Amino acid sequence: MEQKIAITNHTGSISLGQGVRNLQPAYFGLVMATGIVAIAAQLEGMPTLARILTWLSIISFIILWVLTLIRITVYPRCFFQDLIDHTRGVGFFTVVAGCGILGSDLVVVFGRYRSAFVLWFITAILWILLTYSIFTAFTVKRVKPSLAEGINGGWLISIVATQAVSSLASLLAPQSGAYDSKLLFLSLAFWLCGGMLYIWLISLIFYRYTFFTFSPSDLMPPYWVNMGAVAISTLAGALLIMNAREATFLEALLPFLKGFTILFWATATWWIPMLITLGFWRHVYKRYKLAYSPLYWGAVFPLGMYTVCTYRLSEVMSLKFLLWIPRCFVYIALAAWLATFIGLIRALMKIGFQREP
């Protein structure tokens, strides 16, 4: 029998069990968004803010892991049902991406390489476990949704997770001694794998967008990951270019690396006006209510990632005329993060004062 989790204070019995039981698998998007905005703040000369956001990311990471482990223990059936669900299952890739982004955050903001190495190993192991368990389950399950019902921008979190492994490996390579070439080769392999996955998945998503009926409710917040997935691919490519002198195989591939990295950045840039237009259509023209959802962290993350990837691209390709973009986008990312964080606090306050029936 499933247990109930509750706490009691002066307001009476406050139920936590329902929240843990129905915990959104994509909630680690909070860690992703906070971590990448912290990196953006650090690169744009706001170290104090970057440290505050990094600590918030660490705290969120710990809390979400505790809640996830409780959910696995107390509500295992709900957990595994989500894992094989076409809509919610892909949300678990935020766990992988969250680990990777937090590791990168520790390197860039605090210079904590040892802790980042531990997180990279956890990220790589989780990537293997979740990639092959989720996609195998999607393949062999007997009852499947239609393409229109089963796929959305959230599927691209699998690319974000893959490129998070690549990016962190590239950041750690200079501190890995004799293993630097091996780590850079793994980084290259994951970068190429992520690029391949993006081509596969974005083709299906774009087909679903343009050839099936589209309602405002279909345009969930993770549609911004259409841009975020290629933004982190740009970042991973830029970090490989940065390390090209450390490995002969990267030097040989340098023209290829530069060409595809710019391709990814151009694709990310193309998505931004399209996504703004669709957001206007959803919330202004169709008057769809804007209310907090944990999925909105998947919309904050791409804004921070576009800031960071453009900064790194301009750095490694000597494209200084692009630097105005991260200088502007960092404030957009911070504003989006703050608005979503306020939504989170308000949602927690409502849960906190709701009596258990």
Side-chain angles (χ1 to χ4, degrees):
M1 181 180 293
E2 292 180 338
Q3 303 174 27
K4 270 192 174 181
I5 304 172
I7 61 173
T8 303
N9 65 6
H10 66 280
T11 62
S13 181
I14 303 171
S15 175
L16 295 178
Q18 197 68 17
V20 174
R21 179 178 181 176
N22 299 321
L23 183 68
Q24 171 59 247
Y27 231 127
F28 275 85
L30 166 60
V31 180
M32 293 166 51
T34 307
I36 198 60
V37 173
I39 293 173
Q42 179 72 19
L43 294 177
E44 287 299 324
M46 295 178 270
T48 302
L49 180 58
R51 291 189 185 97
I52 293 171
L53 289 171
T54 300
W55 278 113
L56 284 174
S57 184
I58 293 169
I59 293 168
S60 302
F61 182 78
I62 294 170
I63 292 173
L64 287 170
W65 263 112
V66 170
L67 293 177
T68 300
L69 292 174
I70 292 173
R71 187 179 190 228
I72 293 171
T73 304
V74 181
Y75 305 108
R77 182 178 297 178
C78 295
F79 176 83
F80 288 106
Q81 284 177 344
D82 279 352
L83 193 67
I84 63 173
D85 184 86
H86 272 66
T87 301
R88 290 173 67 92
V90 290
F92 284 103
F93 283 112
T94 61
V95 182
V96 183
C99 286
I101 297 297
L102 181 58
S104 298
D105 198 0
L106 292 177
V107 170
V108 175
V109 177
F110 289 132
R112 299 295 296 269
Y113 285 92
R114 289 187 179 180
S115 301
F117 265 111
V118 173
L119 281 172
W120 183 81
F121 279 111
I122 295 173
T123 303
I125 291 168
L126 286 173
W127 183 88
I128 294 169
L129 292 175
L130 290 175
T131 295
Y132 294 104
S133 60
I134 291 172
F135 286 125
T136 298
F138 288 176
T139 302
V140 302
K141 65 190 293 188
R142 295 183 63 183
V143 180
K144 303 180 184 181
S146 65
L147 180 65
E149 297 170 341
I151 198 167
N152 56 65
W155 277 59
L156 295 171
I157 294 292
S158 61
I159 288 93
V160 176
T162 306
Q163 301 295 21
V165 180
S166 174
S167 299
L168 184 52
S170 292
L171 285 174
L172 294 172
Q175 300 293 322
S176 59
Y179 297 97
D180 59 342
S181 294
K182 297 180 180 66
L183 208 53
L184 287 172
F185 182 79
L186 281 174
S187 177
L188 174 64
F190 274 95
W191 181 68
L192 293 170
C193 181
M196 174 198 69
L197 286 171
Y198 184 81
I199 293 170
W200 287 354
L201 293 179
I202 201 62
S203 299
L204 293 173
I205 291 169
F206 199 75
Y207 175 68
R208 186 261 178 272
Y209 280 9
T210 53
F211 288 95
F212 289 85
T213 302
F214 206 62
S215 65
S217 60
D218 293 325
L219 202 62
M220 296 186 294
Y223 69 93
W224 272 90
V225 185
N226 296 358
M227 181 270 279
V230 267
I232 193 173
S233 299
T234 303
L235 175 62
L239 293 174
L240 285 168
I241 295 168
M242 189 180 295
N243 286 281
R245 293 182 180 178
E246 306 302 322
T248 54
F249 59 86
L250 286 181
E251 278 193 305
L253 291 172
L254 203 50
F256 171 81
L257 289 173
K258 290 182 177 181
F260 262 80
T261 299
I262 293 177
L263 171 67
F264 289 142
W265 181 84
T267 305
T269 305
W270 180 90
W271 270 112
I272 294 172
M274 183 71 177
L275 294 171
I276 292 172
T277 303
L278 289 174
F280 182 88
W281 170 80
R282 185 192 199 213
H283 295 293
V284 178
Y285 182 72
K286 290 293 186 178
R287 298 182 180 180
Y288 194 85
K289 184 180 179 181
L290 184 63
Y292 173 77
S293 164
L295 296 178
Y296 272 105
W297 292 111
V300 176
F301 168 79
L303 298 173
M305 181 54 71
Y306 187 74
T307 303
V308 174
C309 81
T310 305
Y311 183 96
R312 292 298 192 193
L313 178 69
S314 64
E315 187 178 40
V316 300
M317 301 283 286
S318 299
L319 301 173
K320 293 184 179 180
F321 56 85
L322 291 178
L323 285 174
W324 69 270
I325 296 176
R327 286 170 188 160
C328 296
F329 251 84
V330 67
Y331 294 105
I332 297 173
L334 285 168
W337 182 91
L338 182 60
T340 310
F341 187 72
I342 291 172
L344 169 63
I345 297 301
R346 293 178 64 183
L348 290 176
M349 289 177 65
K350 287 181 181 178
I351 293 173
F353 289 103
Q354 183 178 359
R355 289 176 179 271
E356 182 179 356

